[in-house]
Amino acid sequence: DSGVTQTPKHLITATGQRVTLRCSPRSGDLSVYWYQQSLDQGLQFLIQYYNGEERAKGNILERFSAQQFPDLHSELNLSSLELGDSALYFCASPRDTHNEQYFGPGTRLTVT
Amino acid sequence: AQSVTQLGSHVSVSEGALVLLRCNYSSSVPPYLFWYVQYPNQGLQLLLKYTTGATLVKGINGFEAEFKKSETSFHLTKPSAHMSDAAEYFCAVTRTDSSYKLIFGSGTRLLVRP
């Protein structure tokens, strides 16, 4: 158990809809990373938050946004969903200064 | 820009045989290197990491990897494969001067034959 929690585990929705994915990092970790795993793109970094502020951005679509709240949990918002957004979405939080990242179980999003 | 190349999208070995999964990286600064394993319908689990110091690193489940700067490689090995090792393995690199975001290779699926 990595200590990183994600909800929901599965999400099925229709094109054009909006969903919110939730992540709680390990206790005491200030940083949250979001990754997308899809058949087309593989595993790619989306965005990082540190103590409530955006720290780095990767290949994140404009339709996607994220935030980190004072209690350090993070939400990834995906809007105007397309079939190609179907993927596994992981969040991760780092341990110690070498930043080995520990991953949550993921949310599997299916857009129909 | 950093990148990771994993040679072989599928590797098949017999139970008890040597496991060798290849990873080459590209980085303009000293990298941190990682191997993660993903079992079906599960998240990513850290197998091992290289940061600094000893270039041969040992991880969980009997796996080890050697950082070879001259070859820009970080291949993963295990002397004797078990059926339970069947999974997908990802090599990843992160820069030490940025946000520490992970750049992943495309993954290698390990099949273990009885």
Side-chain angles (χ1 to χ4, degrees):
Chain A
D1 184 2
S2 67
V4 179
T5 60
Q6 290 188 249
T7 57
K9 193 171 177 60
H10 300 279
L11 203 48
I12 302 174
T13 190
T15 54
Q17 296 299 304
R18 173 189 169 95
V19 297
T20 297
L21 314 183
R22 182 187 169 107
C23 166
S24 292
R26 296 175 333 114
S27 178
D29 286 347
L30 301 179
S31 215
V32 169
Y33 296 77
W34 285 97
Y35 294 86
Q36 179 196 57
Q37 184 179 28
S38 66
L39 289 174
D40 292 343
Q41 303 291 331
L43 265 164
Q44 59 176 353
F45 167 73
L46 294 178
I47 197 164
Q48 179 206 2
Y49 274 80
Y50 180 84
N51 203 20
E53 295 192 0
E54 183 184 303
R55 176 65 68 90
K57 233 174 184 177
N59 297 326
I60 187 166
L61 299 171
E62 285 191 13
R63 300 183 286 108
F64 296 1
S65 64
Q67 53 185 328
Q68 186 177 28
F69 295 85
D71 67 353
L72 300 178
H73 90 271
S74 178
E75 293 180 356
L76 181 66
N77 300 295
L78 316 177
S79 60
S80 303
L81 285 167
E82 302 175 359
L83 295 177
D85 298 327
S86 295
L88 263 170
Y89 292 85
F90 290 107
C91 74
S93 69
R95 173 179 298 172
D96 74 30
T97 57
H98 294 153
N99 272 270
E100 53 189 68
Q101 293 180 23
Y102 288 79
F103 283 74
T107 294
R108 182 174 293 279
L109 173 66
T110 303
V111 183
T112 62
Chain B
Q2 289 176 298
S3 66
V4 176
T5 302
Q6 291 185 241
L7 291 175
S9 59
H10 291 80
V11 169
S12 180
V13 301
S14 297
E15 192 173 19
L18 172 71
V19 175
L20 171 60
L21 305 183
R22 299 178 187 274
C23 172
N24 288 88
Y25 70 92
S26 169
S27 179
S28 58
V29 298
Y32 289 166
L33 295 157
F34 305 86
W35 276 98
Y36 282 86
V37 61
Q38 185 178 29
Y39 298 100
N41 300 313
Q42 293 190 27
L44 293 156
Q45 181 181 8
L46 180 66
L47 271 180
L48 49 79
K49 66 177 181 179
Y50 168 79
T51 54
T52 58
T55 56
L56 181 64
V57 293
K58 296 185 185 299
I60 61 172
N61 301 338
F63 285 93
E64 61 183 38
E66 187 170 11
F67 170 63
K68 291 187 177 180
K69 185 178 178 180
S70 61
E71 298 177 9
T72 60
S73 69
F74 191 57
H75 302 329
L76 181 71
T77 60
K78 182 174 180 178
S80 176
H82 294 166
M83 296 297 291
S84 60
D85 294 327
E88 187 145 24
Y89 293 79
F90 293 93
C91 182
V93 64
T94 188
R95 291 170 64 104
T96 56
D97 61 348
S98 71
S99 73
Y100 294 93
K101 64 185 181 187
L102 289 168
I103 306 298
F104 285 93
S106 54
T108 297
R109 185 167 297 279
L110 177 65
L111 308 171
V112 182
R113 303 185 304 271

